[in-house]
Amino acid sequence: MTIDSEAGAIRVTTLPSGLKIVTERMDRVETVSFGAYVASGTRNEDASQNGVSHFLEHMAFKGTERRSAAEIAEAVENVGGHINAYTAREQTAYYVKLLKEDLDLGADIIGDILTHSTFLPEELERERGVILQEIGQANDTPDDIIFDHFQEAAYPSQPMGRPVLGTEEIVRNMTRADISGYMRSHYAAGNVVVAATGALEHDRVVDLVQKHFADLPSDMPKTPAPGLYTGGEFREERDLDQVHIVLGFPAVGYSDPDYYPAMLLSTLLGGGMSSRLFQEIREKRGLVYSIYSFAAPYVETGLFGIYAGTGESEAAELVPVTLEELQRVQIDAEAVELRRARAQVKASLLMSMESTGSRCEQLSRQLQIFDRIIPTAETIAHVEAVTVDDIRRVAGRIFRGVPTLAAMGPAQRVPGLSAITNRLAA
């Protein structure tokens, strides 16, 4: 028996196993995106297995009982399709994009790699080397690895603060049993949403999922511990041309009433070339090449951050000017800025709806977080309802929190965390 809910072109079916299937028919396209989205990621890992979600994502493509790694890639590319995956802190995704007539193949392959992967020893050793190369590349990319250090400083000694890729030591020692055991305990039917969008029929997708995902285990994993923001400081002196800085604060999760004001605050403050930070710090003062802000919501917690890359001599001026902008926006955020930010957010949302892949991600995430599909009109109404007073209030709520600082490069002139805290309290 299935439970159906329907709103326009979107339909949701929940199978007896707990697996949810969501589809959206898009009549003007000739393609279909199909993905399995697992509500499991870095935050679900024990300290001794950090990186196992990402290792598993890699290994899922390295052969099943019916297909070798080469055959998986060839089957999709022989019909002109695209297959990929990603690991995040709260989700791991496996997806394909194909012509509409090849939907059956896509469902077969994604179901196959999630239920019948073999994790052959020779493939595991080969992929271990690939992941170690990936970790090395990230460590050699300061404007990438600085975010891992920022996350760890914000959430120290807990899963939310650990790197998605894991560490070299743990990856070197990870076993086949570690990976297969993690898959059995976390890739449960009730922990998976299958999403498909494009030129499709919902009932046909349900039939395919029932056929190809039937062997998913049924026991649900334990709920991960909540992320507890602490805040702190990370510094690493490196011989670099630039110092890379991330300054952040505790923010809001998806279900917080201030989610939409925080999203608009991020856009207004540092979301584009017209934003406050870009205009004041790059255009007027020439202190940076790159500066932007970001809001990173999670299920029950969240971060708000500002990234900047600057020269050694400019770093001493950059941070005080940034802090001044964080204080000013609490007082003088203007209606014209909010209108511009609102237009950017709405346009981004509506443009993303034209992509079958983006829609799969949006629909799956809504089901996993809210257990319902949120109509686009409802989202836009929330965005429209945010006022200038909301922006100022939420800026005060966020920027008066305990800060986190991560700095890498020639960072001697970057003020310390205590100086930043004192400046914001003034």
Side-chain angles (χ1 to χ4, degrees):
M1 179 180 177
T2 63
I3 303 170
D4 281 7
S5 63
E6 186 169 1
I10 300 173
R11 292 185 63 187
V12 178
T13 294
T14 302
L15 301 181
S17 64
L19 189 150
K20 290 184 173 64
I21 304 162
V22 56
T23 68
E24 181 174 17
R25 181 171 177 82
M26 302 169 71
D27 291 325
R28 295 186 179 182
V29 301
E30 296 296 321
T31 62
V32 60
S33 289
F34 179 98
Y37 299 83
V38 187
S40 183
T42 310
R43 71 173 304 170
N44 301 84
E45 301 168 353
D46 295 332
S48 62
Q49 57 179 191
N50 177 216
V52 67
S53 300
H54 177 253
F55 207 145
L56 170 55
E57 175 229 306
H58 275 243
M59 287 304 301
F61 290 93
K62 300 308 170 183
T64 69
E65 295 169 8
R66 293 192 288 127
R67 297 179 173 95
S68 67
E71 287 169 339
I72 291 171
E74 289 169 359
V76 175
E77 294 182 0
N78 283 345
V79 296
H82 171 76
I83 185 168
N84 212 334
Y86 64 81
T87 306
R89 286 191 161 77
E90 295 184 322
Q91 185 185 61
T92 307
Y94 305 83
Y95 56 93
V96 289
K97 184 167 185 176
L98 304 147
L99 298 177
K100 61 183 180 183
E101 57 265 28
D102 299 313
L103 172 60
D104 292 22
L105 172 67
D108 181 1
I109 288 177
I110 297 297
D112 195 22
I113 66 177
L114 260 66
T115 57
H116 298 107
S117 285
T118 51
F119 308 130
L120 296 175
E122 60 271 24
E123 290 288 354
L124 188 145
E125 291 309 314
R126 191 159 30 240
E127 207 58 29
R128 189 193 311 277
V130 171
I131 295 170
L132 290 171
Q133 291 288 338
E134 188 177 0
I135 293 172
Q137 179 175 306
N139 287 333
D140 287 344
T141 311
D143 57 346
D144 182 357
I145 198 66
I146 190 67
F147 289 95
D148 279 351
H149 294 308
F150 167 72
Q151 191 84 17
E152 185 176 11
Y155 297 101
S157 303
Q158 54 184 300
M160 284 296 290
R162 296 184 190 124
V164 171
L165 300 183
T167 67
E168 288 191 11
E169 180 182 1
I170 293 175
V171 169
R172 287 187 190 279
N173 293 295
M174 199 168 291
T175 67
R176 182 176 184 271
D178 292 331
I179 296 170
S180 60
Y182 184 85
M183 189 176 204
R184 278 195 308 274
S185 62
H186 288 82
Y187 280 45
N191 214 31
V192 177
V193 171
V194 173
T197 60
L200 53 78
E201 296 294 338
H202 178 80
D203 292 341
R204 177 58 181 158
V205 174
V206 172
D207 290 342
L208 291 170
V209 173
Q210 288 177 314
K211 177 181 179 181
H212 296 299
F213 290 76
D215 291 337
L216 284 174
S218 57
D219 294 337
M220 284 291 287
K222 64 181 181 180
T223 301
L228 299 175
Y229 178 94
T230 299
E233 182 173 359
F234 168 88
R235 268 174 200 268
E236 181 179 326
E237 291 293 326
R238 278 198 190 184
D239 184 15
L240 300 171
D241 290 334
Q242 280 202 313
V243 55
H244 299 269
I245 302 167
V246 181
L247 173 65
F249 304 85
V252 301
Y254 287 106
S255 299
D256 193 287
D258 283 334
Y259 168 76
Y260 290 100
M263 181 169 56
L264 286 165
L265 171 63
S266 177
T267 302
L268 182 153
L269 185 66
M273 293 174 65
S274 62
S275 67
R276 284 193 170 208
L277 291 176
F278 193 94
Q279 284 294 312
E280 182 64 31
I281 294 174
R282 173 170 162 158
E283 297 296 276
K284 292 182 182 179
R285 298 175 183 257
L287 295 176
V288 300
Y289 172 72
S290 176
I291 186 165
Y292 58 84
S293 61
F294 59 92
Y298 301 112
V299 170
E300 80 297 328
T301 182
L303 291 170
F304 190 105
I306 297 118
Y307 165 83
T310 190
E312 180 179 5
S313 60
E314 290 84 1
E317 183 182 357
L318 168 68
V319 173
V321 172
T322 300
L323 298 179
E324 184 179 339
E325 289 301 315
L326 301 189
Q327 291 174 312
R328 284 184 55 234
V329 76
Q330 301 174 42
I331 301 168
D332 65 359
E334 298 178 352
V336 64
E337 296 177 288
L338 175 57
R339 285 196 296 271
R340 184 164 54 241
R342 185 182 290 126
Q344 290 176 264
V345 170
K346 287 167 57 179
S348 177
L349 170 65
L350 296 174
M351 289 175 185
S352 71
M353 294 181 64
E354 298 178 1
S355 162
T356 57
S358 293
R359 283 301 284 159
C360 278
E361 290 190 20
Q362 292 168 8
L363 295 171
S364 66
R365 201 73 179 123
Q366 288 172 4
L367 280 179
Q368 286 173 335
I369 295 169
F370 304 107
D371 199 29
R372 71 183 183 96
I373 299 301
I374 300 176
T376 303
E378 181 179 331
T379 299
I380 291 176
H382 282 298
V383 172
E384 293 282 6
V386 175
T387 67
V388 170
D389 287 342
D390 290 329
I391 295 294
R392 295 175 181 176
R393 175 182 55 77
V394 171
R397 173 184 174 182
I398 293 174
F399 301 141
R400 291 170 192 163
V402 176
T404 294
L405 174 69
M408 178 180 288
Q412 300 92 334
R413 299 189 183 186
V414 177
L417 194 61
S418 59
I420 290 172
T421 301
N422 291 337
R423 178 67 179 264
L424 287 170

